């Protein structure tokens, strides 16, 4: 008789389920004051725990179970859901039907012309070395005009007016070369990059609309560095190429960065509706301005862990927030419980009862210095402290990152630190580069961080207060019904006591190397919501249920609940030295009173939810189909084998792992569900398992060899 996969005494002994409600103590765990002193208690901070950011309650009292989340990244599949509710999938890599990608694009524009005189003019403008580099580039283009030709980087040039002359020189003399300004190799000087463009290979974004046909960009603000060629773009095509981006174990920014590098296009030129988690297999939409599909499709044979397809031409590019949400296919492996019935009951319970709509830990960063602490310093106007919080060493980071931070803290050498600091640490690099130019100007250094990223710190503090408020609301009033003074989304827009807000919540999760999560979406500003305070008449009529309850994200255009929960916001903020009704400084973007605020649902039920229990013996067999599986009609095991081998796992390791576990039956729970934008799938899993999502170390003990 085969052994039950649930009978595992050592693991059952370790199964410590948390109670339905955790003790709620605003005086200690609810305040960030114990963590908010730079250089003191922060130095002892460990990995962020759920209780630190207000995550403490569950909807149901059903028992949970153990299971490994993301043992392999194929166990976490994310498909974007567009604004019309359609699931975004990769279904084809073929070019768009009935569209001729303008055959003239593939011809080399005037490259056979003799450019000797132009090269000599360029020599007098930029010198011998740059002239020879240009001559070599022209030779490579002439010999292989249809292939991707690597760009050249001209000598460092600190004179902005001279750089403008160089840009204009290329615009006038070389209609097939495009220029932009980039950082030098040391990260401190500006250089002009010259690349080959078949008529129109430029990128674009909505932020680039104000900069029309300049032919170049002398900034790193994400604007398009080439908008020429608009007159030659086919009139019957939309000016944006939209495509589906499929990626394995890569986040959105990383994947678009790889594609952009191959095309010679800045990463910020791509438009997308939301970021996706790295340790997953995800599919989402993306757009690029005036790029022919054949150039992008040609990259598929060279891309590693990335595929592009489902091409179409549209009139508008994507911006953050243009989606409904995400469709998740999640597999929990190594399920351990006291019985199979426990797992089945818990799985059914998630669909019926839903979960508390907390902001997940990823909202607050993965390091020992949570982003909401930086946000609190900004709200207090403590610019220097905020900078130190961003730059100082922290626990749990990669060795090279920690080394760079410690080097700067000890020596204060900005140039040397920039050489050591990885480029994905956008905020840190921006701060240091500004401090080099403006020593001691910490506010200006903070403003040098890209706006969406620097605003994430303040939004994180809003989320921190919201999480604690929702825990108090659930603990004090329960989850079975609305309470007097609750805020609810209105079902009727006629009462005068309703409050109109411009957005359902403020959400700006962007990738800074550690802040990507499966939500990471921004809600469109045009989404209008109405809220009201529940009164005794509403309770008598039974008009509203717990599903209608919302809580505010602090701001100038929100109201607070008409019960004790409102006091918690102000008490916690006061303990952190922050006022929610008046600003401590005149910098509007770092002031809650200058922000609109918003509302977020307390409760969320998974949409179109289904689950199944599966038995398996091989950890390396995929238990869910990806878009590539479906598209290629291959079996999950075939794709899994390719996936493992292409990511550095040797055949020997694969074979040894199979032989080790081949005879041990295991149980997995596979779930599929949709969540609206800004909802965290990890919070749904937390409710299911009754286990904290910060217990990463425990998961690793169950799974020493993650795929």
């Amino acid at each position: 008789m085969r052994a039950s996969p649930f009978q595992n005494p050592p693991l059952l002994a370790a199964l410590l389920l948390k109670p339905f409600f955790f003790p709620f103590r605003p005086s200690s765990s609810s305040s960030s004051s114990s963590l908010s002193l730079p250089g003191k208690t922060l130095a002892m901070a460990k990995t962020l725990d759920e209780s630190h950011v207000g995550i403490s309650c569950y909807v149901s009292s059903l028992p949970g179970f153990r299971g490994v989340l993301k043992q392999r990244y194929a166990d976490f599949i994310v498909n974007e859901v567009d604004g019309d509710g359609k699931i975004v999938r990769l279904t084809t890599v073929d070019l768009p039907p009935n569209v001729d990608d303008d055959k003239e694009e593939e011809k080399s524009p005037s490259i056979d012309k003799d450019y000797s005189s132009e090269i000599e003019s360029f020599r007098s403008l930029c010198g011998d070395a740059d002239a020879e580099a240009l001559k070599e580039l022209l030779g490579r283009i002439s010999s292989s005009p249809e292939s991707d030709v690597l760009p050249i980087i001209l000598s460092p040039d600190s004179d902005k007016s001279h750089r403008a002359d160089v840009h204009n020189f290329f615009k006038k003399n070389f209609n097939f070369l495009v220029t932009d300004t980039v950082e030098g190799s040391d990260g401190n000087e500006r250089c002009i990059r010259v690349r080959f463009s078949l008529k129109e290979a430029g990128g674009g974004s909505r932020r680039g609309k104000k900069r029309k046909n300049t032919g170049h960009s002398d900034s790193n603000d994400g604007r398009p560095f080439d908008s020429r060629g608009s007159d030659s773009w086919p009139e019957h095509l939309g000016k944006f190429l939209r495509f589906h981006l499929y990626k394995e174990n890569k986040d959105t920014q990383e994947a678009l960065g790889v594609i952009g590098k191959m095309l010679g296009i800045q990463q910020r030129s791509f438009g997308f509706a939301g970021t996706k988690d790295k340790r997953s297999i995800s599919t989402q939409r993306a757009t690029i301005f005036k790029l022919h599909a054949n150039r992008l499709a040609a990259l598929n044979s060279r891309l590693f862990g990335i595929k592009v397809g489902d091409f179409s031409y549209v009139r508008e590019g994507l911006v953050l927030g243009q989606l409904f949400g995400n469709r998740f296919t999640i597999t929990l492996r190594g399920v351990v419980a006291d019985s199979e019935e426990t797992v089945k009951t818990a799985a059914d319970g998630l669909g019926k009862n839903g979960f508390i709509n907390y902001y997940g830990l990823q909202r607050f960063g993965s390091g020992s210095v949570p982003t909401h602490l930086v946000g609190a310093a900004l709200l207090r106007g403590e610019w220097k402290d905020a900078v130190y919080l961003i730059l100082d060493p922290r626990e749990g980071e990669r060795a090279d990152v920690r080394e760079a931070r410690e080097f700067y803290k000890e020596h204060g050498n900005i140039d040397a630190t920039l050489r050591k600091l990885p480029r994905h640490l956008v905020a840190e690099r921006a701060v240091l580069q500004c401090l080099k130019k403006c020593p001691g100007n910490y506010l200006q250094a903070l403003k040098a961080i890209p706006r969406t990223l620097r605003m994430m710190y303040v939004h994180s503090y809003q989320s921190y207060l919201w999480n604690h408020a929702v825990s108090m609301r659930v603990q004090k009033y329960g989850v079975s019904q609305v309470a007097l003074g609750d805020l609810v989304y209105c079902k009727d827009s006629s009462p005068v006591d309703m409050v109109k807000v411009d957005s359902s919540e403020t959400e700006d999760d962007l990738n800074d190397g550690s802040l990507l999560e499966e939500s990471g979406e921004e809600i469109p500003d045009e989404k209008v919501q109405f809220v009201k305070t529940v009164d005794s008449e509403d309770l008598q009529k039974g008009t509203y249920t717990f599903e209608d309850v919302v809580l505010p994200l602090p701001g100038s255009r929100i109201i607070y609940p008409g019960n004790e929960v409102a006091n918690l916001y102000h008490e916690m903020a006061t303990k952190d030295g922050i006022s929610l009704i008046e600003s401590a400084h005149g910098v509007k973007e770092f002031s809650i009173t200058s922000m609109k605020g918003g509302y977020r649902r307390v409760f969320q039920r998974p949409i179109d939810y289904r689950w199944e229990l599966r038995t398996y013996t091989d950890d390396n067999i995929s238990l869910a189909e990806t878009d590539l599986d479906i598209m290629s009609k291959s079996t999950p095991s075939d794709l899994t084998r390719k996936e493992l081998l292409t990511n550095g796992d040797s055949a020997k390791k694969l074979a040894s792992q199979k032989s080790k576990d081949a005879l041990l039956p295991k149980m997995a729970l596979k779930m599929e569900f949709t969540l609206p934008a800004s909802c965290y799938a990890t919070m749904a899993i937390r409710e299911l398992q009754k286990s904290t999502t910060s217990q990463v170390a425990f998961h690793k003990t169950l799974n020493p060899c993650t795929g």
Side-chain angles (χ1 to χ4, degrees), residues 314-429:
V314 295
R315 294 186 176 182
E316 296 289 337
L318 287 168
V319 295
L320 284 172
Q322 289 184 332
L323 78 169
F324 170 79
N326 295 292
R327 180 72 178 171
F328 297 94
T329 303
I330 298 175
T331 304
L332 293 174
R333 293 178 181 261
V335 170
V336 179
D338 54 359
S339 69
E340 183 173 332
E341 191 61 32
T342 297
V343 181
K344 291 180 177 180
T345 302
D348 280 333
L350 178 62
K352 294 176 182 178
N353 303 320
F355 60 95
I356 299 173
N357 196 23
Y358 286 118
Y359 287 97
L361 285 177
Q362 295 88 338
R363 176 69 159 170
F364 306 96
S366 60
S368 57
V369 182
T371 53
H372 72 276
L373 295 187
V374 181
L378 294 175
L379 293 170
R380 291 190 296 264
E382 298 171 354
W383 317 129
K384 186 176 181 180
D385 287 348
V387 167
Y388 285 162
L389 285 168
I390 292 172
L391 294 178
D392 274 357
R394 55 191 67 181
E395 296 290 334
E397 283 192 312
R398 280 174 17 192
D400 59 333
V401 176
R402 184 172 179 81
E403 179 186 348
R405 292 184 188 276
E406 290 177 341
F407 177 86
Y408 176 71
K409 187 173 184 178
E410 181 178 353
H411 302 285
N413 187 324
I414 293 179
D415 287 337
T417 304
L418 285 170
R419 287 192 291 269
K420 293 174 176 289
L421 205 62
R423 291 189 173 273
H424 73 267
L425 296 177
V426 177
E428 288 84 346
R429 293 184 64 85

Side-chain angles (χ1 to χ4, degrees), residues 161-178:
S161 62
H162 183 263
R163 292 199 304 267
D165 291 339
V166 176
H167 288 303
N168 290 328
F169 175 86
F170 280 97
K171 182 178 179 181
K172 178 180 178 181
N173 295 284
F174 299 95
N175 65 344
F176 52 89
L177 295 179
V178 178

Side-chain angles (χ1 to χ4, degrees), residues 55-107:
I55 303 172
S56 59
C57 297
Y58 299 108
V59 168
S60 80
S61 56
L62 292 172
F65 57 88
R66 290 295 186 192
V68 182
L69 177 63
K70 298 187 183 182
Q71 178 174 350
R72 302 176 63 257
Y73 54 80
D75 292 340
F76 201 91
I77 300 174
V78 185
N79 290 85
E80 189 170 272
V81 180
D82 66 21
D84 296 325
K86 183 179 179 181
I87 299 175
V88 176
R89 300 191 184 279
L90 184 70
T91 62
T92 178
V93 294
D94 296 333
L95 294 176
N98 303 321
V99 174
D100 184 357
D101 257 355
D102 193 3
K103 298 300 183 180
E104 292 183 2
E105 182 209 2
E106 300 181 4
K107 298 178 182 178

